[in-house]
């Protein structure tokens, strides 16, 4: 007959075996997600929501650690490392991604989107999904689009209402064939310049204008030296939440579904964070009462002026098809 002590030891051994065998106590699979923006930036907020949803829906089996502020990689390095399978997830802008998947460049074409509603109908519809699928041939899986606002022109000289008002203005641009072509097609002079030099350039008159979104216009203090802001929304290039295809291919179908759905659901959190972030900038600038804000209501002359730019950029073999499909979305 077993003594009480022996019974207790036996029970402990059985319990230990059960616990060790139970999948509930298996160590989680931990993946890394790289983002180059700060901890409180809208994309990072979206990343964290995505990670939270994945952890919840896998009962902690899959854990995603979000690294913000380029702690791991800048955008280009993140893309390349994910392609090789050394990084599971990254959040990058569609513009640098287009260097690897040209079709994504369609989303950066000037005035391709009539308004914000048109943008999201395209991104969250069949066209947006088809463009994301093209990334797979280049080692990445596109999971969802995030908001990056729209870019508009501002200058220190005069109110700009039409493309004719742009004539002769020296506008700072990124070193990009697309942006140089955009500015020059509107009759302005494109001046590539480092981002950190724009404020002094505007202040000294080396340049007379630049282009960016509301938060950047405010956070850089460009609004102090370029008081005329024309909301033409010439580009609405989105952010993309991506996954390494090498890592993706190792997942079960169930986990692929969980990750894709969590990414899409995290978009709502990210978009709200962007709206809040943008609203603070708008409120602060308008409260100062020193800036002339001009909203472009008729994009037609702007769209006509930049048409030649569309054919200058390599957007892959489906360029014309994607442009036509986007323009036909109501």
């Amino acid at each position: 007959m077993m003594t009480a002590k022996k019974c207790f030891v036996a029970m402990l051994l059985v319990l230990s075996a059960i616990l060790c065998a139970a999948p509930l106590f298996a160590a989680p699979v931990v993946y890394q997600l790289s983002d180059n923006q700060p901890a409180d930036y809208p994309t990072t907020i979206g990343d964290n929501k995505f990670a939270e949803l994945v952890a919840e829906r896998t009962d902690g089996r899959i854990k995603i650690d979000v690294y913000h502020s380029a702690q791991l990689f800048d955008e280009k390095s993140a893309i390349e490392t994910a392609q090789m399978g050394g990084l599971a997830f990254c959040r990058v802008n569609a513009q640098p991604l287009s260097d690897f998947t040209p079709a994504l460049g369609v989303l950066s074409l000037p005035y391709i989107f009539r308004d914000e509603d048109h943008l999201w109908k395209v991104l969250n519809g069949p066209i947006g999904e088809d463009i994301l699928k093209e990334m797979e041939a280049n080692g990445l899986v596109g999971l969802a689009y995030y908001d990056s606002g729209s870019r508009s022109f501002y200058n220190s000289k005069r109110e700009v209402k039409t493309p004719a008002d742009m004539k002769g203005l020296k506008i700072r641009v990124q070193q990009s064939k697309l942006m140089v072509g955009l500015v020059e097609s509107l009759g302005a002079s494109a001046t590539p310049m480092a981002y950190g030099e724009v404020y002094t350039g505007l202040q000294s008159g080396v340049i007379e204008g630049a282009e960016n979104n509301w938060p950047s216009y405010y956070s850089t203090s460009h609004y102090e030296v370029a008081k005329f802001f024309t909301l033409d929304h010439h580009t609405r290039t989105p952010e993309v939440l991506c996954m390494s295809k090498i890592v993706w291919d190792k997942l079960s179908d169930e986990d692929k579904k969980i990750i894709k759905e969590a990414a899409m659901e995290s978009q709502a959190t990210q978009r709200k964070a962007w709206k809040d972030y943008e609203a603070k900038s708008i409120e602060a600038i308008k409260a100062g009462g020193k800036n002339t804000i001009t909203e472009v209501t008729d994009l037609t002359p702007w769209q006509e002026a930049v048409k030649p730019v569309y054919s200058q950029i390599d957007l892959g073999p489906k360029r014309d098809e994607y442009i036509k499909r986007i323009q036909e979305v109501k």
Side-chain angles (χ1 to χ4, degrees), residues 158-176:
R158 56 180 177 264
E159 183 178 12
V160 171
K161 295 181 178 180
T162 68
D165 298 326
M166 292 283 292
K167 190 170 173 128
L169 288 175
K170 291 179 287 186
I171 305 292
R172 179 267 174 181
V173 294
Q174 299 161 300
Q175 187 65 57
S176 154

Side-chain angles (χ1 to χ4, degrees), residues 125-243:
I127 303 170
E129 194 60 33
D130 287 348
I131 291 174
L132 288 181
K133 283 177 182 173
E134 295 217 17
M135 295 170 61
E136 296 185 20
N138 298 293
L140 294 172
V141 175
L143 299 173
Y145 295 101
Y146 280 175
D147 202 351
S148 187
S150 64
R151 296 175 76 100
S152 293
F153 290 110
Y154 47 88
N155 80 93
S156 60
K157 291 295 181 184
R158 56 180 177 264
E159 183 178 12
V160 171
K161 295 181 178 180
T162 68
D165 298 326
M166 292 283 292
K167 190 170 173 128
L169 288 175
K170 291 179 287 186
I171 305 292
R172 179 267 174 181
V173 294
Q174 299 161 300
Q175 187 65 57
S176 154
K177 187 176 180 180
L178 174 66
M179 293 311 299
V180 170
L182 162 62
V183 168
E184 292 185 346
S185 68
L186 294 171
S189 174
T191 307
M193 178 183 285
Y195 189 50
E197 297 172 7
V198 175
Y199 185 92
T200 54
L202 288 165
Q203 194 175 41
S204 65
V206 171
I207 55 172
E208 296 161 332
E211 53 81 47
N212 219 312
N213 54 41
W214 272 109
S216 296
Y217 180 53
Y218 177 64
S219 64
T220 56
S221 297
H222 292 176
Y223 74 98
E224 296 175 349
V225 287
K227 298 189 182 297
F228 300 97
F229 196 19
T230 299
L231 300 175
D232 67 304
H233 310 288
H234 48 263
T235 56
R236 297 177 183 270
T237 308
E239 310 287 349
V240 185
L241 184 59
C242 313
M243 185 172 187

Side-chain angles (χ1 to χ4, degrees), residues 240-297:
V240 185
L241 184 59
C242 313
M243 185 172 187
S244 165
K245 190 169 188 304
I246 291 174
V247 179
W248 173 264
D249 288 342
K250 294 176 182 176
L251 296 174
S252 67
D253 288 344
E254 179 190 358
D255 285 344
K256 286 177 181 177
K257 184 172 184 288
I258 288 171
I259 285 172
K260 177 67 176 177
E261 289 179 352
M264 289 300 297
E265 287 184 38
S266 72
Q267 185 193 87
T269 297
Q270 192 276 334
R271 287 179 64 186
K272 182 183 183 303
W274 178 266
K275 284 296 179 193
D276 293 344
Y277 183 65
E278 190 176 61
K280 290 177 184 176
S281 302
I282 295 172
E283 183 181 356
I285 291 169
K286 289 186 174 179
K290 296 179 179 179
N291 295 77
T292 300
I293 312 299
T294 304
E295 181 80 55
V296 174
T297 55

Side-chain angles (χ1 to χ4, degrees), residues 28-32 51 54-55 58 60-66 89:
V29 177
V30 181
Y31 294 122
Q32 296 175 326
V54 170
T58 61
R61 284 188 301 104
I62 297 177
K63 183 174 184 293
I64 300 171
D65 289 337
V66 177
F89 298 94

Side-chain angles (χ1 to χ4, degrees), residues 23-37:
L24 267 174
F25 291 85
V29 177
V30 181
Y31 294 122
Q32 296 175 326
L33 191 164
S34 176
D35 197 307
N36 68 335
Q37 297 290 0

